Amino acid sequence: MTTPEPARARPVFSTADFALLKEAVADYTRKIADDPRSVQFANLYHRLGRLG
């Protein structure tokens, strides 16, 4: 008796979404430049660049 393979997971975001997300994060990072969290958003921006 074999077990059926699970269905492949569908992507949550399209590749075009990553460019939009990156643009939005860049804009927000500039707006909160004096906030210590801006470093976290800058890191997110760079990770998004590697994805899309």
Side-chain angles (χ1 to χ4, degrees):
M1 179 177 199
T2 61
T3 57
E5 289 188 33
R8 286 185 51 142
R10 295 178 62 188
V12 175
F13 296 108
S14 74
T15 41
D17 293 339
F18 289 108
L20 293 172
L21 288 168
K22 190 174 175 187
E23 183 179 339
V25 169
D27 182 59
Y28 185 67
T29 303
R30 283 190 296 273
K31 289 179 181 177
I32 65 162
D34 296 332
D35 188 318
R37 294 181 312 144
S38 66
V39 173
Q40 293 174 314
F41 281 96
N43 292 336
L44 174 60
Y45 175 83
H46 289 291
R47 288 193 304 271
L48 285 170
R50 286 185 275 168
L51 293 173

